[in-house]
Amino acid sequence: MDFDFSDEQMQLRDAVQRWAERSYGFERRRAIAAAGGFDTNVWRELTELGLTGLTIPTAHGGMGLGAVEAMVAHEALGASLLLEPLLPLHVAAAVLQHHADAAAQAAWLPRMAEGTLVVLAHVERHGHHRLDACTTTAVADGATWRLSGRKHVVPAGDHAAAWLVPARLDGALALFGVERGAPGTSVTGYPTQDGSRAAEVVLDNAPGQLVCRDGAAALAWAQDVGIALVAAQAVGVMDRTLALTLEYLNTRKQFGVPIGSFQALRHRAADMKMALELARGMSMYASLRLATPEAQRRQALARTKVQVGQSMRFVGQQAVQLHGGIGVTDEYLVSHCFKRLTQLELTFGDTLHHLGEVAARMTDEAGVAA
Amino acid sequence: MDFDFSDEQMQLRDAVQRWAERSYGFERRRAIAAAGGFDTNVWRELTELGLTGLTIPTAHGGMGLGAVEAMVAHEALGASLLLEPLLPLHVAAAVLQHHADAAAQAAWLPRMAEGTLVVLAHVERHGHHRLDACTTTAVADGATWRLSGRKHVVPAGDHAAAWLVPARLDGALALFGVERGAPGTSVTGYPTQDGSRAAEVVLDNAPGQLVCRDGAAALAWAQDVGIALVAAQAVGVMDRTLALTLEYLNTRKQFGVPIGSFQALRHRAADMKMALELARGMSMYASLRLATPEAQRRQALARTKVQVGQSMRFVGQQAVQLHGGIGVTDEYLVSHCFKRLTQLELTFGDTLHHLGEVAARMTDEAGVAA
Amino acid sequence: MDLAFTPEERAFRDEVRAWIAAHLDPAVAAKVHAGLRLSKDDIQGWARTLGRQGWLAYRWPRAFGGPGWTPVQQHLFDEALAEAGAPPILPFGPVMVAPVIMAFGTPEQQQRFLPGIASGEVWWCQGYSEPGSGSDLASLRTRAERDGDHYIVNGQKTWTTLAQHADWIFCLVRTSTEGKPQTGISFLLIDMKSPGVTVRPIRLLDGEYEVNEVWFDNVRVPADNLIGEENKGWTYAKYLLSHERANIADVNRAKRELKRLKRLAQAEGRWDDARLRDQIAALEVDIVALEMLVLRVLAAETSGKPALDIAALLKIRGSEIQQRLAELMMHVAGPLALPYLEPALEGTWTEPYPGGDPALAPLAPRYFNLRKTTIYGGSNEVQRNIVAQTLLG
Amino acid sequence: MDLAFTPEERAFRDEVRAWIAAHLDPAVAAKVHAGLRLSKDDIQGWARTLGRQGWLAYRWPRAFGGPGWTPVQQHLFDEALAEAGAPPILPFGPVMVAPVIMAFGTPEQQQRFLPGIASGEVWWCQGYSEPGSGSDLASLRTRAERDGDHYIVNGQKTWTTLAQHADWIFCLVRTSTEGKPQTGISFLLIDMKSPGVTVRPIRLLDGEYEVNEVWFDNVRVPADNLIGEENKGWTYAKYLLSHERANIADVNRAKRELKRLKRLAQAEGRWDDARLRDQIAALEVDIVALEMLVLRVLAAETSGKPALDIAALLKIRGSEIQQRLAELMMHVAGPLALPYLEPALEGTWTEPYPGGDPALAPLAPRYFNLRKTTIYGGSNEVQRNIVAQTLLG
């Protein structure tokens, strides 16, 4: 049992932090958000850092790193409140690595390592976090397939070269690749609440390639990888949020003393620290459980999303509260942390949904090893 | 709209308070609890005060008072942490008044006004707060009926002259009166957690009289009346619990100052006050809604039990916490308040059960009037 | 003890409901029911409509032109406004500055200022908070120096709600630095068109411009605009605080929003999701319990007995419930709450909406925005201090 | 980074599990699993069994007769004890006074006291709290005056856990009233059989006698029983506090109790009650998150890096979880938790049980009793002060 980071992992973290400190300050980030939430220069910088290929095998031109390294990187990226869709890219890469055949991997992974964006497009209206809520259909058309349906909140969907699209093929869920710009596709991009970018993707008899027939397994894997990365980013955001809040409490004066001297606020800060540390442990748990058999993996990731979701909501809300008026302005960083945490809570299933997953998967056993 | 108490109501409250202050102090109550939880002298005093007949019509020898007067009296009785089963008596009287025929009322209500104890015996093993969970059976036997089954936690069941027993008659729930000591009955009394008395009642082909065929309606009415009285007692207990706690906070010193000067504890006291006042309003709401049509009544009483249950748990737990070590001893009043509140929460359906009732009865509307 | 309204009260409610239905623009009501942003015209247009009827200043006594309604009538009117989807009545004029002018203003000041407030013609804002003084109001530093018939005002206010639309501002200003911080404060009315007044709207986390910074740079204010005595402003501000009543809980709006939450849950196909529904049910209980608290306060006021000392409880609970309502609505929408499309927040979206349903567009911004409710008007931490003070000394 | 135990660690776990299974009386384990009251013999019998194996002092270094296990091995042993239903190891001897004797006692004191602690033969209790000093320990007033080779001790201790069974007590006593309150305190070991020692058990809210008042009336204590220097007792007490580790969270017992909660829910036919089950699921998440916190602390200790500074977090969360477990178990039983039948709490009930199932008898008393966990050992309010001090200074 070991929760230390290796030297390589610490170097990775430091590299991301250095880039963020130098190149992703509050003003640049705000300008990117105002311009729509995706900056091609930032994307190129991330690609040059090797981050797009972080988890892609070296054989396909990536860095070939694992779940713990992904956690390390995304924790640092979370702290930078990164708008660009590195997390969705890594989810798509994980899906292709585990569920696509060798040809598809060879076709896509090297390009993704070099910055070509591919993202999962799975959210449907009235889906309510359920992975099996899919009304998009696919029908065979010779060697290819034709897809029809509508997908929402596709991360940076209008900047992606292709989307991984779950669709019903003969009633069962399968996963397809659809290239943006193909006939029968249309995409409408928009900013999201935290300033990043998403899109509606409409498919009308659009041509798709089959990625895998067991779409349910691929989607479950995508969600679990996604939860682990969300947890890592969440820890990064919360770490920064708490630091901001502590600094504010020790700086801001009322009644002649720093407000950090008031016991009620001090105890709130202690509770925020608790929420953060519980989430941090669960983020490690998530990353270390990704490789376990599916039943264990899904139970672990559902538990993670519940704890991290609760932590995010508490830390975000209390950080705003403890900042008072300045906490609800756009001009100060803490509200952006809060919105980012809110958006992360709603991504890959919210807290209540995953509580249901935990309840459904509960056994007689107890504890981390159960 | 009016939430003032009339002069008569205030006199009633004062009379109960005077009796409790003079005759139901901590030491006497503790002696009663140690002796098993029911004191015949106390019972006679309550009868002489007219409290046994409080809600029984004057035509049957009672005081003929209504739901608000019952609330007023039980709030004061709650503050005294009364062990004796006045609340169950009033529930049984309400059931007889609303669901028994004139002959049965004439047979029982005058005796109850004079102190004869009749109580509802409805809790079964694995019932889990559900009123329809009844496995006790009744079969016709000429002009009478024969009952078989087992009822738990019957309030002061070994001191009651008779029990009101729900049983299945031809599959449907009906309500019967069974006299203690009749052939085929056995009863085992015991103390409960808060020091009062209860019993297991076993019926083996025991003779019963039919009180009413619509046992479901009678039980629902019993529960709703019971919730209103529990809410009233809960407010009384919480009022006293908060007062004890405030006094302690201003008396107990640590680090050279009263612990009531620490902001975290002050805010806790404020939250206890909030819990109390929310419960107080809901206690009024409950009593004033008892007379409305069944759907409205049950919705209101379920809402009441949820709020009052939450308040009781919070106030009880925090009162102990703020008292520190002395709060967990048997020697100081506050632990008895806490145990009483716990027992009241488990009576007539717990908070979670009634949250389910509220959810099931929810309409599009909102508010007190809905 | 009785929970029912009298026949007269029910008739009154029918009357005001009918009037509101006849006069409220359905398009504006639809925006309110959908939680969309309201324009200046939406708010002021409705205020003028109410003003023409004499109902904008509906809490005022007859002597000052109010309708002389009982506390229960005021509550019923407020409830009717809320359920109809009327735009909010901004409190700064009729609820905040007016009672101070009535209590401490000269007859000339009353004649000069009250009619414009009652008619909805004059838009007021409140100049209390400063960058250095939030909960600690007494530390304010904006100063007013006497110069003949005028005060010269210098300083900065902040969190000034909707000052960008305001004609007048009522300010707490420092006129003396002697004695305790509270003692040197005065209550001054300032015309926002005065030279030297600068307003900078502050963008909030939901993208809206709702509060402002206001600078005073050698602003000349006629001494006639001083309310009451110099250096007594703290007393008047406290009077105003003690004047806040049951409506601080905003329970009628909570009831409307609960209905909206239920509509949303139904429309989104989540009404039968037992987990979510339990959370709605718990909130329904919270709102009923809050309403009982409010009704008890109203009844106490009506019966002339001393009002319950629970204004701070109403503020705490009311604000928490508003936040929880917004939180649950956002969670009903789930990831579909994430698109941020400005025109959809204004109700001016005309194209096919890429975010599922434009009804979902305002949910997350509202959740963000309402974090303010536990901060402003005396943060909930300050309110708990107040409750504790009452309980423990 | 790795969540798995090494093959050696797993082998170690198998070994201690097998040993425990072979040596633990099943009747005693059954009482533990059922949450019944344990007798003095239940507790001390097991302590002696462990002592014979050299495992009672399982956290001690080899130099003092401990097994020299790694932090992970200690955790695995603790987990094996918990899951087997072993009676608790009382901390007062091996965990509390022993480290102080090891660090600050003379070789003679070490030889005199440590073997009895390690063997389980000598029962120790802790004399810190006094009626006037709870969280504010420095204000203690029990005084020890030097009289030749002895101290004369007068005063009163309270909340002294299981002192009614104890052979020895380690006390903080005042030996000087000069300087700051902390500076005049000494650390003294007192034989409970000394003339002048009086013990009064205090009945707790669950009916059990678990803590005591202890009076000292001119008790003569040999000066040889002073640990370290006179007036340095505060330093030793603080050393002891800083010595508390991951096991403060008691997560292994929480895991056992969670299994019991699930068994109860199944036995009572409530496993399919979705509402209740969600609450169990939420608690399961809490316990996993707590365990990850504990494992991180253990791993940090093992790797020799500075331990995470989160002992206070472990205490807060661990105690809250214990309380919640007991609360939910009581609610699983519902009204059937209400009968209070003393023999059923001792496991000596033989007649037909009138309260449904005797397994339900201990649930409410345990819920009541565990309110202590957020009070003792530094209340959770004090723990939050400590966390805040680390964060904010």
Side-chain angles (χ1 to χ4, degrees), chain C residues 48-83:
Chain C
R48 286 175 169 138
T49 303
L50 287 173
R52 279 192 293 276
Q53 179 72 2
W55 288 356
L56 180 62
Y58 70 95
R59 294 183 194 277
W60 293 12
R62 275 190 204 282
F64 289 103
W69 288 341
T70 65
V72 169
Q73 286 176 315
Q74 293 171 15
H75 174 77
L76 291 173
F77 182 62
D78 183 68
E79 184 185 48
L81 290 175
E83 71 189 11

Side-chain angles (χ1 to χ4, degrees), chain B residues 1-6 9-10 68 71-72 242 245-247 249-250 260-261 263 265-274 276-282 284-289 299 302-304 306-308 310 352 355-356 358-369, chain C residues 1-6 9 13 72 79 254-256 258-259 262 266 271 274 277-282 284-293 295-300 302-303 305 308-310 312-314 316-317 320 380-385 387-393:
Chain B
M1 211 181 45
D2 166 23
F3 298 102
D4 290 336
F5 295 113
S6 68
Q9 288 163 350
M10 298 220 275
V68 173
M71 176 181 78
V72 167
L242 178 58
T245 305
L246 296 175
E247 193 191 333
L249 288 172
N250 272 340
S261 64
Q263 193 187 32
L265 307 192
R266 295 175 72 80
H267 281 198
R268 205 81 57 79
D271 288 337
M272 290 171 71
K273 171 73 170 170
M274 174 76 83
L276 167 60
E277 291 303 331
L278 292 174
R280 193 193 304 281
M282 292 305 277
M284 293 175 176
Y285 173 66
S287 293
L288 294 169
R289 286 273 150 176
Q299 185 198 40
R303 288 169 170 174
T304 299
V306 172
Q307 177 61 61
V308 174
Q310 290 170 340
L352 209 54
L355 179 63
V358 174
R361 290 164 196 286
M362 213 155 49
T363 69
D364 294 349
E365 295 302 310
V368 163
Chain C
M1 184 166 289
D2 191 356
L3 196 48
F5 296 109
T6 64
E9 287 164 346
R13 176 158 62 182
V72 169
E79 184 185 48
K255 282 152 57 184
R256 180 183 72 211
L258 177 60
K259 287 197 216 178
K262 291 174 174 179
Q266 288 164 355
W271 187 241
R277 186 140 162 184
D278 274 4
Q279 304 216 340
I280 301 175
E284 174 169 291
V285 172
D286 289 343
I287 289 171
V288 169
L290 177 66
E291 192 175 10
M292 283 303 302
L293 213 53
L295 294 176
R296 283 166 59 207
V297 174
L298 281 176
T302 305
S303 72
K305 302 208 173 168
L308 301 180
D309 187 15
I310 51 180
L313 294 181
L314 293 176
I316 295 168
R317 199 69 184 144
E320 289 171 349
N380 280 19
E381 287 79 13
V382 168
Q383 302 294 337
R384 284 190 169 85
N385 287 347
V387 177
Q389 185 70 30
T390 315
L391 296 172
L392 290 161

Side-chain angles (χ1 to χ4, degrees), chain A residues 55-57 87-102 104-106 108-109 112 118-122 131 163-166 174-177 209-227 229 290 297 348:
Chain A
T55 56
I56 291 173
L87 191 156
L89 174 76
H90 288 164
V91 170
V95 169
L96 291 171
Q97 280 176 64
H98 279 71
H99 291 278
D101 62 21
Q105 291 192 32
W108 283 104
L109 291 176
M112 290 167 74
V118 177
V119 297
L120 183 69
H122 74 295
L131 296 181
W163 310 296
L164 298 182
V165 182
L175 191 68
F176 299 86
Q209 291 176 293
L210 185 67
V211 173
C212 75
R213 288 221 170 246
D214 191 352
L219 260 185
W221 170 244
Q223 174 173 277
D224 287 349
V225 171
I227 289 173
L229 299 182
L290 269 182
R297 186 192 88 210
F348 293 115

Side-chain angles (χ1 to χ4, degrees), chain D residues 4-285:
Chain D
F5 295 108
T6 64
E8 293 74 24
E9 286 164 347
R10 289 202 300 274
F12 170 85
R13 177 157 63 183
D14 292 342
E15 182 201 335
V16 296
R17 276 181 178 163
W19 185 89
I20 293 167
H23 290 82
L24 178 61
D25 179 353
V28 173
K31 285 171 81 171
V32 171
H33 281 304
L36 300 175
R37 292 180 184 170
L38 300 177
S39 69
K40 182 185 176 186
D41 284 349
D42 291 337
I43 293 169
Q44 198 166 21
W46 177 241
R48 286 176 171 139
T49 304
L50 287 173
R52 279 191 294 275
Q53 179 72 2
W55 288 357
L56 180 62
Y58 71 96
R59 294 184 194 276
W60 294 11
R62 275 189 204 281
F64 290 103
W69 289 341
T70 67
V72 169
Q73 286 176 316
Q74 293 171 16
H75 174 77
L76 291 173
F77 182 63
D78 183 68
E79 184 185 48
L81 290 174
E83 71 189 12
I89 294 174
L90 297 180
F92 312 106
V95 180
M96 302 182 88
V97 73
V100 174
I101 294 174
M102 291 180 210
F104 305 105
T106 62
E108 291 70 29
Q109 288 171 330
Q110 291 168 354
Q111 285 163 24
R112 181 171 163 213
F113 292 111
L114 294 180
I117 295 174
S119 69
E121 291 303 320
V122 181
W123 188 303
W124 283 81
C125 65
Q126 178 193 37
Y128 277 21
S129 291
E130 297 186 4
S133 65
S135 300
D136 180 15
L137 206 54
S139 68
L140 65 85
R141 292 163 56 185
T142 295
R143 64 191 191 284
E145 285 161 296
R146 189 70 182 242
D147 178 28
D149 287 348
H150 285 76
Y151 287 98
I152 312 295
V153 179
N154 280 285
Q156 184 192 350
K157 296 290 178 181
T158 192
W159 313 129
T160 319
T161 301
L162 297 177
Q164 71 265 44
H165 304 318
D167 303 303
W168 281 80
I169 184 168
F170 59 98
C171 283
L172 291 180
V173 293
R174 182 159 301 287
T175 38
S176 165
T177 53
E178 286 168 29
K180 287 204 299 182
Q182 288 87 336
T183 53
I185 291 172
S186 297
F187 196 103
L188 198 59
L189 314 183
I190 304 177
D191 188 332
M192 291 291 280
K193 292 182 296 295
S194 310
V197 175
T198 311
V199 175
R200 185 184 76 87
I202 299 172
R203 186 178 153 97
L204 292 189
L205 80 173
D206 61 339
E208 207 167 357
Y209 293 89
E210 191 176 292
V211 296
N212 299 266
E213 291 179 294
V214 180
W215 282 272
F216 300 94
D217 180 15
N218 283 317
V219 176
R220 291 184 68 81
V221 180
D224 285 350
N225 292 5
L226 179 77
I227 297 293
E229 293 178 49
E230 201 172 83
N231 298 333
K232 289 278 178 70
W234 188 255
T235 312
Y236 312 146
K238 271 175 62 184
Y239 168 81
L240 180 47
L241 280 176
S242 73
H243 215 76
E244 290 185 286
R245 298 258 191 80
N247 61 315
I248 201 177
D250 227 357
V251 72
N252 290 319
R253 254 138 299 259
K255 282 152 58 183
R256 181 184 70 210
E257 294 301 299
L258 177 60
K259 287 197 216 176
R260 180 167 157 230
L261 167 60
K262 291 174 173 178
R263 282 200 310 275
L264 277 167
Q266 287 164 355
E268 292 301 299
R270 302 197 66 183
W271 187 241
D272 294 323
D273 174 337
R275 253 171 218 107
L276 183 70
R277 187 143 162 182
D278 274 4
Q279 304 216 340
I280 300 175
L283 191 50
E284 174 169 292
V285 172

Side-chain angles (χ1 to χ4, degrees), chain B residues 23-47:
Chain B
S23 310
Y24 212 72
F26 184 67
E27 289 307 328
R28 187 183 191 194
R29 182 181 181 278
R30 192 145 79 149
I32 294 170
F38 184 99
D39 187 87
T40 50
N41 289 326
V42 166
W43 194 248
R44 196 174 53 245
E45 291 165 34
L46 296 171
T47 305

